[in-house]
Amino acid sequence: MVNSLKERFNKIEFIPYLVLGLALLILLLFIAYPLSKVLLNSFLSAGDVFSIQNLTLTNFSQFFSSSLYKSALMNTLLVGFLCVLFSCLLGIPMAYFLARTEMPFKTLFLTLGTLPLILPPFVGAYSWVLLFGRQGVVNFFLKELFGFVLPDIYGAPGVVIAMTMSLYPFVFLLTYGALLSADPYLEESATIMGASRWDLIRTVTLPLVTPSIAAGALIVFMRAVGNFGVPALLGGNFYVLPTLIHFQVVGFFNLHTAGAIAIVNISMVGLAILISQYVMAKRSYVTITSTTQGAQVSASKTLKWCGILFCSCVIFFSLLPHITVIVTSFTEGWSGTRYPTKFSFENYQRIFQIAKTPILNSLFLAITATVVATVIGTLLSYIAVRKQFHGKWILDLTVMLPFILPGIVVGVAILSGFSSGLIVLTGTWMIMVIGFFIRRMPYIFRSATASLSQIDISVEEASTIAGASWGATFFRITLPLMAPGILAGAVICFSTLMGELSTTIILYSAGWKTITVAIIEYLFSATIGPAYALGTILIVLVLSAITLANRLLGRKMSQMFKMV
């Protein structure tokens, strides 16, 4: 009896359960706890301790009594809706031209159309001022040639334009993928029935890809309402909720009011998700059937040349700010002048003297957070796919929650959770790594989950039958097969962390200033040259990481983002 119990005990694999326990502990400590702390603080006045009597709506009342808060709320909604509208106006036609016409250089257009996703939008935001500002190059030529100038770029126009040109690829890539896989028989049937090309697009093609358009539009809305860098640089007196959160944290260190604003920001995102799900649930969308073949491509030369012109214009204007960043980084003076006055390497010599620390800090923090996110995200994906237990949806929801939350909200949550109590991490690099890995772990989780779902479990079972332990099976068989997906997620994680600003601006301290913080400080002080030299270095680092991963994996840049 005793021997049989010992044999059963020795056969139990404890490692999977230890991994599950560690994963749940991390989720509770670094995600659930900070978010619950934000929610609790939002119903308490500054300085009050938690008790039923101290619960109050004072922090939320400012949205009804303060004109600043009311206007910031409306401005945030306005920016979100306009960015969605213009992203769809740019992304949907671009996807159609690339998927359904005989345009040349499709791979090049796809690659260039993906670049705005990995290039931090705030880096090129100030370029719109140099180009289209009151003293900008474009306005100078318009005034000289035609006698008029464009409206002021500061405020809502500049914020919406800068965000749209960096966010439209979400709609473009998702719609493009859906158009490639849409069932052509439905369109052929409509053509046989006498439908014109416009009627075909309006009544068949667009409805078929509506779920993908809605998904892209939802991501654009979430990113737009949570963006801090672009409104901070181009907003002027046009305040949005993320800039108010920054004022409350940096100006007053009032985490209670900041938490209330964060809850309102989260509510916007949650409401947008619910509306999207409600609309999508009312209709059925089937794009792939048992008889599906490749999408039909139009041979129209008119459509082909319209597509080339349209896609070229969109890509040119979306990359123009970043091209301006690179050019300006080699100038000694441009701000306030019509043209660059002199080209040299002085800005680079200067930043390596005064900004070497932010560069090293960014590399250290991004690499550390990527490693942590890769390890934890991979283990969580294994548990989500291979282990059966009640409440698995809670695991998926908790991991993905930081992805749908604005970055500045995640920063407030981490700061609220670890600025007091048993664990105090404010002012250290660890609080930034925690914020970074929580913010980007969903990339690893999703890409690793996708890879693991494609691996037949019988491969692992064969290893176990042969006598291998769970650890040996995982590290020798499962992990190598998952490696391409994990690497894709890790590269996207590292690339986006190098340009992370919304979370960083809340969590950084003087000793742990990053490239993004240094750039925005230089831009606030109108020190354009060093700011754009740092921006160019950031662009080069991000593109180098993506290019290296593409070479190792043998994939195109647009395919990297489809995996995550």
Side-chain angles (χ1 to χ4, degrees), residues 3-17 464 467-470:
N3 292 332
S4 63
L5 288 175
K6 285 184 178 180
E7 289 178 1
R8 289 182 182 180
F9 182 80
N10 291 332
K11 290 181 179 179
I12 296 176
E13 287 279 4
F14 288 100
I15 295 180
Y17 296 101
T464 303
S469 64
W470 177 86

Side-chain angles (χ1 to χ4, degrees), residues 39 144 180 217 251 289 313 318 323 341 381 394 432 434 444 454-456 478 502 537 540:
L39 181 63
E144 288 289 322
L180 287 181
T289 66
C313 289
S318 65
I323 295 171
T341 55
S381 70
I394 298 177
M432 298 184 70
I434 291 171
I444 311 290
Q454 296 173 352
I455 301 173
D456 193 339
T478 310
S502 296
I537 291 175
V540 170

Side-chain angles (χ1 to χ4, degrees), residues 99-100 177-189 208 287-297:
R100 296 301 181 85
L179 285 171
L180 287 181
S181 59
D183 192 345
Y185 287 117
L186 298 174
E187 296 176 335
E188 290 174 3
S189 299
L208 281 176
T287 59
I288 300 177
T289 66
S290 59
T291 58
T292 294
Q293 62 181 14
Q296 188 175 16
V297 177

